[in-house]
Short mmCIF file of all heavy atoms in Angstrom, two decimals:
data_model
loop_
_atom_site.label_atom_id
_atom_site.label_comp_id
_atom_site.label_asym_id
_atom_site.label_seq_id
_atom_site.Cartn_x
_atom_site.Cartn_y
_atom_site.Cartn_z
N MET A 26 0.84 -1.18 0.00
CA MET A 26 0.00 0.00 0.00
C MET A 26 0.88 1.24 0.00
O MET A 26 1.93 1.27 0.62
CB MET A 26 -0.92 -0.02 1.22
CG MET A 26 -1.64 1.29 1.42
SD MET A 26 -3.23 1.23 2.21
CE MET A 26 -4.30 0.65 0.96
N SER A 27 0.44 2.25 -0.66
CA SER A 27 1.21 3.49 -0.78
C SER A 27 1.30 4.23 0.55
O SER A 27 0.35 4.28 1.31
CB SER A 27 0.55 4.40 -1.81
OG SER A 27 1.17 5.65 -1.82
N GLN A 28 2.47 4.80 0.82
CA GLN A 28 2.67 5.61 2.02
C GLN A 28 2.10 7.02 1.83
O GLN A 28 2.13 7.81 2.75
CB GLN A 28 4.16 5.68 2.36
CG GLN A 28 4.75 4.36 2.78
CD GLN A 28 4.14 3.86 4.07
OE1 GLN A 28 3.89 4.61 4.99
NE2 GLN A 28 3.90 2.56 4.13
N ALA A 29 1.63 7.32 0.63
CA ALA A 29 1.10 8.66 0.34
C ALA A 29 -0.21 8.92 1.05
O ALA A 29 -0.59 10.07 1.25
CB ALA A 29 0.92 8.85 -1.16
N PHE A 30 -0.89 7.86 1.45
CA PHE A 30 -2.17 8.02 2.11
C PHE A 30 -2.02 7.80 3.61
O PHE A 30 -1.37 6.86 4.04
CB PHE A 30 -3.20 7.03 1.54
CG PHE A 30 -3.43 7.25 0.08
CD1 PHE A 30 -2.83 6.42 -0.84
CD2 PHE A 30 -4.22 8.28 -0.36
CE1 PHE A 30 -3.03 6.62 -2.19
CE2 PHE A 30 -4.42 8.49 -1.71
CZ PHE A 30 -3.83 7.65 -2.63
N VAL A 31 -2.61 8.67 4.38
CA VAL A 31 -2.54 8.56 5.83
C VAL A 31 -3.86 8.01 6.32
O VAL A 31 -4.92 8.52 5.98
CB VAL A 31 -2.27 9.95 6.48
CG1 VAL A 31 -2.28 9.84 7.99
CG2 VAL A 31 -0.97 10.52 5.97
N ARG A 32 -3.79 6.95 7.08
CA ARG A 32 -5.00 6.36 7.63
C ARG A 32 -5.58 7.28 8.69
O ARG A 32 -4.86 7.97 9.40
CB ARG A 32 -4.70 5.01 8.24
CG ARG A 32 -4.34 3.96 7.22
CD ARG A 32 -4.17 2.62 7.91
NE ARG A 32 -3.19 2.73 8.99
CZ ARG A 32 -2.04 2.11 9.00
NH1 ARG A 32 -1.71 1.32 8.02
NH2 ARG A 32 -1.21 2.25 10.01
N GLU A 33 -6.89 7.25 8.81
CA GLU A 33 -7.55 8.05 9.84
C GLU A 33 -7.03 7.63 11.20
O GLU A 33 -6.88 6.45 11.49
CB GLU A 33 -9.06 7.82 9.77
CG GLU A 33 -9.83 8.75 10.67
CD GLU A 33 -11.32 8.62 10.46
OE1 GLU A 33 -11.74 8.32 9.35
OE2 GLU A 33 -12.05 8.83 11.45
N GLY A 34 -6.68 8.60 12.03
CA GLY A 34 -6.15 8.32 13.35
C GLY A 34 -4.63 8.33 13.39
O GLY A 34 -4.04 8.24 14.45
N ASP A 35 -3.98 8.37 12.21
CA ASP A 35 -2.52 8.38 12.16
C ASP A 35 -1.94 9.79 12.21
O ASP A 35 -0.73 9.94 12.22
CB ASP A 35 -2.02 7.70 10.89
CG ASP A 35 -2.12 6.18 10.96
OD1 ASP A 35 -2.42 5.68 12.05
OD2 ASP A 35 -1.90 5.53 9.93
N GLU A 36 -2.80 10.81 12.21
CA GLU A 36 -2.29 12.17 12.21
C GLU A 36 -1.64 12.51 13.55
O GLU A 36 -1.98 11.95 14.57
CB GLU A 36 -3.41 13.20 11.97
CG GLU A 36 -4.34 12.92 10.85
CD GLU A 36 -5.59 12.20 11.29
OE1 GLU A 36 -6.01 12.32 12.45
OE2 GLU A 36 -6.15 11.49 10.46
N GLN A 37 -0.70 13.44 13.50
CA GLN A 37 -0.07 13.94 14.71
C GLN A 37 -0.56 15.36 14.94
O GLN A 37 -0.96 16.05 14.01
CB GLN A 37 1.44 13.98 14.55
CG GLN A 37 2.12 12.65 14.58
CD GLN A 37 3.62 12.82 14.49
OE1 GLN A 37 4.11 13.46 13.59
NE2 GLN A 37 4.32 12.23 15.43
N SER A 38 -0.51 15.78 16.18
CA SER A 38 -0.80 17.18 16.47
C SER A 38 0.53 17.93 16.55
O SER A 38 1.60 17.32 16.65
CB SER A 38 -1.57 17.31 17.79
OG SER A 38 -0.74 17.00 18.87
N LEU A 39 0.45 19.23 16.52
CA LEU A 39 1.64 20.07 16.56
C LEU A 39 2.50 19.76 17.78
O LEU A 39 3.73 19.68 17.69
CB LEU A 39 1.22 21.54 16.55
CG LEU A 39 2.32 22.58 16.55
CD1 LEU A 39 3.18 22.45 15.30
CD2 LEU A 39 1.73 23.97 16.63
N SER A 40 1.88 19.53 18.92
CA SER A 40 2.64 19.29 20.15
C SER A 40 3.28 17.90 20.20
O SER A 40 4.11 17.63 21.06
CB SER A 40 1.75 19.48 21.37
OG SER A 40 0.71 18.52 21.39
N GLU A 41 2.93 17.01 19.26
CA GLU A 41 3.47 15.65 19.27
C GLU A 41 4.68 15.46 18.36
O GLU A 41 5.34 14.42 18.46
CB GLU A 41 2.39 14.66 18.83
CG GLU A 41 1.24 14.57 19.78
CD GLU A 41 0.12 13.70 19.24
OE1 GLU A 41 -0.09 13.66 18.01
OE2 GLU A 41 -0.55 13.07 20.08
N ILE A 42 5.00 16.43 17.52
CA ILE A 42 6.11 16.24 16.59
C ILE A 42 7.44 16.52 17.29
O ILE A 42 7.48 17.15 18.35
CB ILE A 42 5.96 17.11 15.32
CG1 ILE A 42 6.00 18.59 15.66
CG2 ILE A 42 4.71 16.73 14.57
CD1 ILE A 42 6.07 19.49 14.46
N ASP A 43 8.51 16.06 16.68
CA ASP A 43 9.85 16.27 17.24
C ASP A 43 10.14 17.77 17.37
O ASP A 43 9.69 18.56 16.54
CB ASP A 43 10.92 15.64 16.36
CG ASP A 43 10.88 14.12 16.40
OD1 ASP A 43 10.39 13.57 17.40
OD2 ASP A 43 11.35 13.50 15.43
N PRO A 44 10.92 18.16 18.36
CA PRO A 44 11.19 19.58 18.58
C PRO A 44 12.32 20.13 17.70
O PRO A 44 13.20 20.86 18.16
CB PRO A 44 11.57 19.63 20.06
CG PRO A 44 12.19 18.30 20.32
CD PRO A 44 11.44 17.33 19.44
N THR A 45 12.29 19.80 16.41
CA THR A 45 13.29 20.30 15.47
C THR A 45 12.60 21.12 14.39
O THR A 45 11.42 20.90 14.09
CB THR A 45 14.08 19.16 14.80
OG1 THR A 45 13.17 18.40 13.99
CG2 THR A 45 14.76 18.27 15.82
N LEU A 46 13.33 22.04 13.80
CA LEU A 46 12.77 22.87 12.74
C LEU A 46 12.40 22.01 11.53
O LEU A 46 11.35 22.23 10.91
CB LEU A 46 13.74 23.98 12.35
CG LEU A 46 13.23 24.97 11.31
CD1 LEU A 46 11.95 25.66 11.77
CD2 LEU A 46 14.31 26.00 11.00
N ASN A 47 13.21 21.02 11.21
CA ASN A 47 12.88 20.13 10.08
C ASN A 47 11.57 19.39 10.30
O ASN A 47 10.77 19.23 9.37
CB ASN A 47 14.01 19.14 9.82
CG ASN A 47 15.19 19.77 9.14
OD1 ASN A 47 15.07 20.79 8.48
ND2 ASN A 47 16.35 19.17 9.29
N ALA A 48 11.34 18.92 11.52
CA ALA A 48 10.09 18.23 11.83
C ALA A 48 8.91 19.20 11.72
O ALA A 48 7.84 18.82 11.23
CB ALA A 48 10.15 17.62 13.23
N LEU A 49 9.09 20.44 12.16
CA LEU A 49 8.03 21.44 12.05
C LEU A 49 7.70 21.70 10.58
O LEU A 49 6.53 21.72 10.19
CB LEU A 49 8.43 22.74 12.75
CG LEU A 49 7.43 23.90 12.64
CD1 LEU A 49 6.12 23.55 13.32
CD2 LEU A 49 8.03 25.17 13.20
N ILE A 50 8.72 21.89 9.76
CA ILE A 50 8.50 22.15 8.33
C ILE A 50 7.79 20.97 7.68
O ILE A 50 6.85 21.14 6.90
CB ILE A 50 9.84 22.47 7.63
CG1 ILE A 50 10.33 23.84 8.09
CG2 ILE A 50 9.70 22.41 6.11
CD1 ILE A 50 11.74 24.19 7.66
N ARG A 51 8.22 19.76 7.99
CA ARG A 51 7.58 18.56 7.43
C ARG A 51 6.11 18.49 7.84
O ARG A 51 5.23 18.25 7.01
CB ARG A 51 8.33 17.30 7.91
CG ARG A 51 7.87 16.03 7.26
CD ARG A 51 8.70 14.80 7.68
NE ARG A 51 10.08 15.10 7.97
CZ ARG A 51 10.63 14.99 9.20
NH1 ARG A 51 9.91 14.60 10.22
NH2 ARG A 51 11.89 15.28 9.38
N PHE A 52 5.83 18.72 9.11
CA PHE A 52 4.46 18.69 9.62
C PHE A 52 3.59 19.75 8.94
O PHE A 52 2.49 19.46 8.47
CB PHE A 52 4.47 18.92 11.15
CG PHE A 52 3.11 19.06 11.74
CD1 PHE A 52 2.33 17.95 12.03
CD2 PHE A 52 2.60 20.32 12.04
CE1 PHE A 52 1.07 18.08 12.58
CE2 PHE A 52 1.34 20.46 12.59
CZ PHE A 52 0.57 19.34 12.87
N LEU A 53 4.10 20.98 8.87
CA LEU A 53 3.32 22.07 8.27
C LEU A 53 3.09 21.85 6.78
O LEU A 53 2.02 22.17 6.25
CB LEU A 53 4.00 23.41 8.52
CG LEU A 53 4.09 23.85 9.98
CD1 LEU A 53 4.89 25.13 10.09
CD2 LEU A 53 2.71 23.99 10.60
N THR A 54 4.08 21.29 6.10
CA THR A 54 3.93 20.99 4.67
C THR A 54 2.85 19.94 4.46
O THR A 54 2.00 20.08 3.56
CB THR A 54 5.28 20.53 4.08
OG1 THR A 54 6.22 21.61 4.21
CG2 THR A 54 5.14 20.14 2.62
N LEU A 55 2.82 18.91 5.28
CA LEU A 55 1.76 17.90 5.18
C LEU A 55 0.40 18.50 5.48
O LEU A 55 -0.58 18.21 4.79
CB LEU A 55 2.05 16.73 6.13
CG LEU A 55 3.21 15.83 5.74
CD1 LEU A 55 3.50 14.82 6.85
CD2 LEU A 55 2.92 15.12 4.43
N GLU A 56 0.33 19.35 6.49
CA GLU A 56 -0.93 20.01 6.85
C GLU A 56 -1.40 20.96 5.75
O GLU A 56 -2.58 21.25 5.65
CB GLU A 56 -0.76 20.80 8.15
CG GLU A 56 -0.63 19.94 9.38
CD GLU A 56 -1.92 19.25 9.75
OE1 GLU A 56 -2.94 19.95 9.89
OE2 GLU A 56 -1.91 18.02 9.88
N ASN A 57 -0.47 21.43 4.93
CA ASN A 57 -0.76 22.38 3.87
C ASN A 57 -1.00 21.67 2.53
O ASN A 57 -0.81 22.26 1.47
CB ASN A 57 0.41 23.39 3.75
CG ASN A 57 0.04 24.64 3.02
OD1 ASN A 57 -1.10 25.08 3.05
ND2 ASN A 57 1.01 25.22 2.33
N GLY A 58 -1.35 20.41 2.58
CA GLY A 58 -1.65 19.66 1.37
C GLY A 58 -0.44 19.36 0.51
O GLY A 58 -0.56 19.19 -0.70
N GLY A 59 0.74 19.32 1.10
CA GLY A 59 1.95 19.01 0.37
C GLY A 59 2.66 20.22 -0.21
O GLY A 59 3.74 20.11 -0.78
N ILE A 60 2.06 21.40 -0.08
CA ILE A 60 2.69 22.63 -0.56
C ILE A 60 3.71 23.06 0.49
O ILE A 60 3.37 23.24 1.66
CB ILE A 60 1.66 23.74 -0.82
CG1 ILE A 60 0.68 23.27 -1.89
CG2 ILE A 60 2.35 25.04 -1.23
CD1 ILE A 60 -0.51 24.17 -2.07
N ARG A 61 4.94 23.22 0.06
CA ARG A 61 6.07 23.49 0.97
C ARG A 61 5.82 24.73 1.83
O ARG A 61 5.45 25.79 1.33
CB ARG A 61 7.34 23.68 0.15
CG ARG A 61 8.55 24.05 0.92
CD ARG A 61 9.30 22.83 1.34
NE ARG A 61 10.60 23.22 1.88
CZ ARG A 61 11.19 22.56 2.82
NH1 ARG A 61 10.64 21.48 3.32
NH2 ARG A 61 12.35 22.96 3.28
N VAL A 62 6.04 24.59 3.12
CA VAL A 62 6.04 25.70 4.08
C VAL A 62 7.49 25.89 4.51
O VAL A 62 8.19 24.92 4.77
CB VAL A 62 5.15 25.39 5.30
CG1 VAL A 62 5.25 26.46 6.35
CG2 VAL A 62 3.69 25.21 4.86
N TYR A 63 7.94 27.12 4.54
CA TYR A 63 9.34 27.39 4.88
C TYR A 63 9.44 28.49 5.93
O TYR A 63 8.48 29.23 6.17
CB TYR A 63 10.15 27.76 3.63
CG TYR A 63 9.61 28.97 2.90
CD1 TYR A 63 10.06 30.25 3.20
CD2 TYR A 63 8.64 28.83 1.91
CE1 TYR A 63 9.55 31.36 2.55
CE2 TYR A 63 8.12 29.93 1.26
CZ TYR A 63 8.58 31.19 1.57
OH TYR A 63 8.07 32.28 0.94
N GLU A 64 10.59 28.58 6.55
CA GLU A 64 10.84 29.61 7.56
C GLU A 64 11.17 30.92 6.86
O GLU A 64 12.05 30.99 6.02
CB GLU A 64 12.01 29.18 8.44
CG GLU A 64 12.32 30.17 9.54
CD GLU A 64 13.53 29.78 10.35
OE1 GLU A 64 14.51 29.28 9.77
OE2 GLU A 64 13.49 29.99 11.56
N LYS A 65 10.42 31.97 7.22
CA LYS A 65 10.67 33.29 6.65
C LYS A 65 11.61 34.10 7.53
O LYS A 65 12.40 34.91 7.03
CB LYS A 65 9.35 34.05 6.48
CG LYS A 65 8.46 33.48 5.39
CD LYS A 65 7.17 34.23 5.30
CE LYS A 65 7.40 35.52 4.53
NZ LYS A 65 6.13 36.22 4.28
N ARG A 66 11.50 33.88 8.84
CA ARG A 66 12.29 34.70 9.77
C ARG A 66 12.38 33.97 11.11
O ARG A 66 11.46 33.27 11.51
CB ARG A 66 11.58 36.05 9.94
CG ARG A 66 12.24 37.00 10.87
CD ARG A 66 11.53 38.36 10.92
NE ARG A 66 10.16 38.22 11.40
CZ ARG A 66 9.09 38.65 10.71
NH1 ARG A 66 9.22 39.21 9.55
NH2 ARG A 66 7.88 38.52 11.22
N ALA A 67 13.49 34.17 11.81
CA ALA A 67 13.65 33.64 13.17
C ALA A 67 14.00 34.82 14.07
O ALA A 67 14.88 35.62 13.74
CB ALA A 67 14.74 32.58 13.22
N ASN A 68 13.29 34.94 15.16
CA ASN A 68 13.50 36.01 16.14
C ASN A 68 13.67 35.39 17.52
O ASN A 68 13.35 34.22 17.73
CB ASN A 68 12.31 36.96 16.21
CG ASN A 68 12.04 37.66 14.90
OD1 ASN A 68 12.72 37.46 13.93
ND2 ASN A 68 11.01 38.49 14.90
N THR A 69 14.09 36.19 18.46
CA THR A 69 14.16 35.78 19.85
C THR A 69 13.26 36.70 20.65
O THR A 69 13.33 37.92 20.51
CB THR A 69 15.61 35.87 20.38
OG1 THR A 69 16.44 35.08 19.52
CG2 THR A 69 15.72 35.35 21.79
N ASP A 70 12.41 36.11 21.50
CA ASP A 70 11.52 36.94 22.33
C ASP A 70 12.26 37.42 23.58
O ASP A 70 13.43 37.11 23.79
CB ASP A 70 10.23 36.19 22.67
CG ASP A 70 10.42 34.98 23.56
OD1 ASP A 70 11.54 34.78 24.10
OD2 ASP A 70 9.46 34.21 23.73
N ALA A 71 11.56 38.17 24.43
CA ALA A 71 12.17 38.76 25.63
C ALA A 71 12.68 37.70 26.60
O ALA A 71 13.64 37.94 27.34
CB ALA A 71 11.15 39.66 26.32
N ALA A 72 12.08 36.52 26.58
CA ALA A 72 12.50 35.44 27.48
C ALA A 72 13.65 34.62 26.90
O ALA A 72 14.13 33.69 27.53
CB ALA A 72 11.31 34.53 27.77
N GLY A 73 14.09 34.95 25.67
CA GLY A 73 15.19 34.22 25.06
C GLY A 73 14.78 33.03 24.22
O GLY A 73 15.63 32.26 23.78
N ASN A 74 13.48 32.86 24.00
CA ASN A 74 12.99 31.75 23.19
C ASN A 74 13.05 32.10 21.71
O ASN A 74 12.73 33.22 21.32
CB ASN A 74 11.54 31.42 23.56
CG ASN A 74 11.40 31.03 25.01
OD1 ASN A 74 12.19 30.25 25.52
ND2 ASN A 74 10.41 31.59 25.68
N THR A 75 13.41 31.15 20.89
CA THR A 75 13.45 31.36 19.45
C THR A 75 12.05 31.21 18.87
O THR A 75 11.35 30.23 19.16
CB THR A 75 14.40 30.35 18.77
OG1 THR A 75 15.69 30.49 19.35
CG2 THR A 75 14.48 30.59 17.27
N LEU A 76 11.65 32.18 18.07
CA LEU A 76 10.35 32.17 17.40
C LEU A 76 10.59 32.08 15.91
O LEU A 76 11.44 32.79 15.36
CB LEU A 76 9.57 33.44 17.73
CG LEU A 76 9.32 33.70 19.21
CD1 LEU A 76 8.60 35.03 19.40
CD2 LEU A 76 8.54 32.57 19.85
N HIS A 77 9.85 31.21 15.25
CA HIS A 77 10.01 30.97 13.82
C HIS A 77 8.74 31.45 13.11
O HIS A 77 7.67 30.88 13.31
CB HIS A 77 10.23 29.48 13.54
CG HIS A 77 11.40 28.91 14.26
ND1 HIS A 77 12.67 28.98 13.75
CD2 HIS A 77 11.49 28.30 15.47
CE1 HIS A 77 13.50 28.39 14.61
NE2 HIS A 77 12.81 27.98 15.66
N THR A 78 8.88 32.47 12.27
CA THR A 78 7.76 32.93 11.46
C THR A 78 7.83 32.16 10.15
O THR A 78 8.86 32.16 9.46
CB THR A 78 7.85 34.44 11.19
OG1 THR A 78 7.87 35.11 12.46
CG2 THR A 78 6.67 34.93 10.37
N MET A 79 6.73 31.49 9.84
CA MET A 79 6.72 30.59 8.69
C MET A 79 5.93 31.20 7.53
O MET A 79 5.19 32.17 7.70
CB MET A 79 6.09 29.25 9.10
CG MET A 79 6.75 28.61 10.32
SD MET A 79 8.53 28.32 10.17
CE MET A 79 8.50 26.91 9.09
N SER A 80 6.09 30.61 6.35
CA SER A 80 5.44 31.13 5.15
C SER A 80 3.92 30.99 5.18
O SER A 80 3.24 31.59 4.37
CB SER A 80 6.00 30.44 3.91
OG SER A 80 5.76 29.05 3.96
N ASN A 81 3.39 30.25 6.13
CA ASN A 81 1.94 30.13 6.26
C ASN A 81 1.35 31.29 7.07
O ASN A 81 0.15 31.34 7.31
CB ASN A 81 1.54 28.79 6.89
CG ASN A 81 2.00 28.63 8.31
OD1 ASN A 81 2.68 29.47 8.87
ND2 ASN A 81 1.64 27.50 8.91
N GLY A 82 2.21 32.23 7.48
CA GLY A 82 1.75 33.42 8.18
C GLY A 82 1.69 33.31 9.69
O GLY A 82 1.37 34.27 10.38
N LEU A 83 2.02 32.15 10.23
CA LEU A 83 1.98 31.95 11.68
C LEU A 83 3.39 31.88 12.24
O LEU A 83 4.35 31.56 11.55
CB LEU A 83 1.23 30.66 12.01
CG LEU A 83 -0.24 30.63 11.59
CD1 LEU A 83 -0.83 29.24 11.83
CD2 LEU A 83 -1.04 31.69 12.31
N THR A 84 3.49 32.18 13.54
CA THR A 84 4.75 32.12 14.25
C THR A 84 4.70 30.98 15.25
O THR A 84 3.72 30.83 15.99
CB THR A 84 5.03 33.46 14.97
OG1 THR A 84 5.08 34.49 13.99
CG2 THR A 84 6.35 33.42 15.73
N TYR A 85 5.75 30.18 15.26
CA TYR A 85 5.82 28.99 16.11
C TYR A 85 7.01 29.09 17.06
O TYR A 85 8.03 29.67 16.72
CB TYR A 85 5.97 27.72 15.25
CG TYR A 85 4.81 27.50 14.33
CD1 TYR A 85 4.77 28.13 13.09
CD2 TYR A 85 3.76 26.69 14.70
CE1 TYR A 85 3.69 27.94 12.23
CE2 TYR A 85 2.68 26.51 13.85
CZ TYR A 85 2.65 27.13 12.62
OH TYR A 85 1.58 26.95 11.78
N GLY A 86 6.84 28.54 18.22
CA GLY A 86 7.90 28.45 19.21
C GLY A 86 7.66 27.23 20.06
O GLY A 86 6.68 26.51 19.88
N LYS A 87 8.54 27.01 21.00
CA LYS A 87 8.40 25.86 21.88
C LYS A 87 7.93 26.31 23.26
O LYS A 87 8.31 27.38 23.74
CB LYS A 87 9.74 25.13 22.00
CG LYS A 87 10.19 24.55 20.68
CD LYS A 87 11.54 23.91 20.81
CE LYS A 87 12.08 23.55 19.43
NZ LYS A 87 13.47 23.16 19.48
N ASP A 88 7.10 25.48 23.88
CA ASP A 88 6.64 25.77 25.23
C ASP A 88 7.71 25.37 26.24
O ASP A 88 8.81 24.95 25.85
CB ASP A 88 5.29 25.10 25.52
CG ASP A 88 5.36 23.57 25.50
OD1 ASP A 88 6.47 22.99 25.53
OD2 ASP A 88 4.29 22.95 25.47
N GLN A 89 7.41 25.47 27.52
CA GLN A 89 8.40 25.17 28.56
C GLN A 89 8.79 23.69 28.58
O GLN A 89 9.81 23.33 29.15
CB GLN A 89 7.89 25.61 29.94
CG GLN A 89 6.67 24.88 30.43
CD GLN A 89 5.36 25.50 29.95
OE1 GLN A 89 5.35 26.36 29.07
NE2 GLN A 89 4.26 25.09 30.54
N ASN A 90 8.00 22.84 27.92
CA ASN A 90 8.32 21.41 27.84
C ASN A 90 9.00 21.03 26.53
O ASN A 90 9.23 19.86 26.27
CB ASN A 90 7.03 20.58 28.00
CG ASN A 90 6.42 20.78 29.37
OD1 ASN A 90 7.12 20.79 30.38
ND2 ASN A 90 5.11 20.97 29.41
N GLY A 91 9.30 22.03 25.70
CA GLY A 91 9.99 21.77 24.44
C GLY A 91 9.09 21.32 23.31
O GLY A 91 9.57 20.82 22.29
N ARG A 92 7.78 21.48 23.46
CA ARG A 92 6.83 21.10 22.41
C ARG A 92 6.45 22.32 21.59
O ARG A 92 6.34 23.43 22.12
CB ARG A 92 5.58 20.48 23.02
CG ARG A 92 5.87 19.15 23.71
CD ARG A 92 4.60 18.55 24.26
NE ARG A 92 4.06 19.45 25.28
CZ ARG A 92 3.70 19.07 26.49
NH1 ARG A 92 3.80 17.82 26.84
NH2 ARG A 92 3.23 19.94 27.35
N TRP A 93 6.25 22.11 20.29
CA TRP A 93 5.88 23.22 19.40
C TRP A 93 4.49 23.75 19.75
O TRP A 93 3.59 23.00 20.11
CB TRP A 93 5.86 22.73 17.94
CG TRP A 93 7.22 22.50 17.38
CD1 TRP A 93 7.76 21.29 17.09
CD2 TRP A 93 8.20 23.49 17.06
NE1 TRP A 93 9.04 21.47 16.61
CE2 TRP A 93 9.32 22.81 16.56
CE3 TRP A 93 8.24 24.88 17.13
CZ2 TRP A 93 10.48 23.46 16.14
CZ3 TRP A 93 9.39 25.53 16.71
CH2 TRP A 93 10.48 24.83 16.22
N GLU A 94 4.33 25.07 19.61
CA GLU A 94 3.04 25.72 19.76
C GLU A 94 3.00 26.96 18.89
O GLU A 94 4.06 27.48 18.50
CB GLU A 94 2.75 26.06 21.22
CG GLU A 94 3.72 27.07 21.83
CD GLU A 94 3.44 27.37 23.28
OE1 GLU A 94 2.53 26.77 23.86
OE2 GLU A 94 4.15 28.22 23.83
N ILE A 95 1.81 27.43 18.58
CA ILE A 95 1.64 28.66 17.82
C ILE A 95 1.76 29.82 18.80
O ILE A 95 1.13 29.82 19.85
CB ILE A 95 0.28 28.68 17.10
CG1 ILE A 95 0.21 27.53 16.09
CG2 ILE A 95 0.07 30.02 16.39
CD1 ILE A 95 -1.16 27.35 15.46
N LYS A 96 2.56 30.80 18.43
CA LYS A 96 2.77 31.98 19.28
C LYS A 96 2.00 33.16 18.68
O LYS A 96 1.74 33.20 17.49
CB LYS A 96 4.26 32.34 19.36
CG LYS A 96 5.13 31.25 19.95
CD LYS A 96 4.87 31.12 21.41
CE LYS A 96 5.88 30.17 22.04
NZ LYS A 96 5.81 30.16 23.48
N GLN A 97 1.71 34.12 19.50
CA GLN A 97 1.02 35.33 19.04
C GLN A 97 1.98 36.39 18.67
O GLN A 97 3.01 36.58 19.16
CB GLN A 97 0.08 35.85 20.13
CG GLN A 97 -1.05 34.89 20.40
CD GLN A 97 -2.00 34.70 19.24
OE1 GLN A 97 -2.21 35.61 18.44
NE2 GLN A 97 -2.55 33.54 19.12
#
């Protein structure tokens, strides 16, 4: 069977993916129907956390447990 199809229930949530930028890009690209999502800019907030602004218009960072989340 082709790996191109994801069975229902096999999806991951943002907080479940690996805490790497490559894993985030892969996840967002899959969520975007296979259209590549890329990092447009990386900033550091006042607390010293790295924030990644992506081509989908959202900014992502890691929470205190190292899991990805959408930042405001």
Side-chain angles (χ1 to χ4, degrees):
M26 169 151 284
S27 173
Q28 293 296 320
F30 299 101
V31 177
R32 291 185 305 245
E33 188 173 329
D35 285 351
E36 312 95 26
Q37 287 183 306
S38 70
L39 182 61
S40 64
E41 294 174 328
I42 63 171
D43 290 335
T45 65
L46 184 58
N47 284 337
L49 177 64
I50 290 170
R51 187 176 328 114
F52 173 81
L53 295 175
T54 298
L55 289 173
E56 289 289 306
N57 198 31
I60 300 170
R61 177 91 169 148
V62 174
Y63 58 91
E64 181 184 39
K65 290 178 79 174
R66 180 176 62 236
N68 298 1
T69 304
D70 66 10
N74 300 315
T75 302
L76 303 177
H77 303 274
T78 302
M79 306 303 285
S80 61
N81 66 357
L83 298 173
T84 300
Y85 299 85
K87 296 177 190 169
D88 64 14
Q89 65 273 12
N90 296 317
R92 294 182 297 231
W93 287 109
E94 63 181 3
I95 298 172
K96 299 289 188 171
Q97 294 295 330

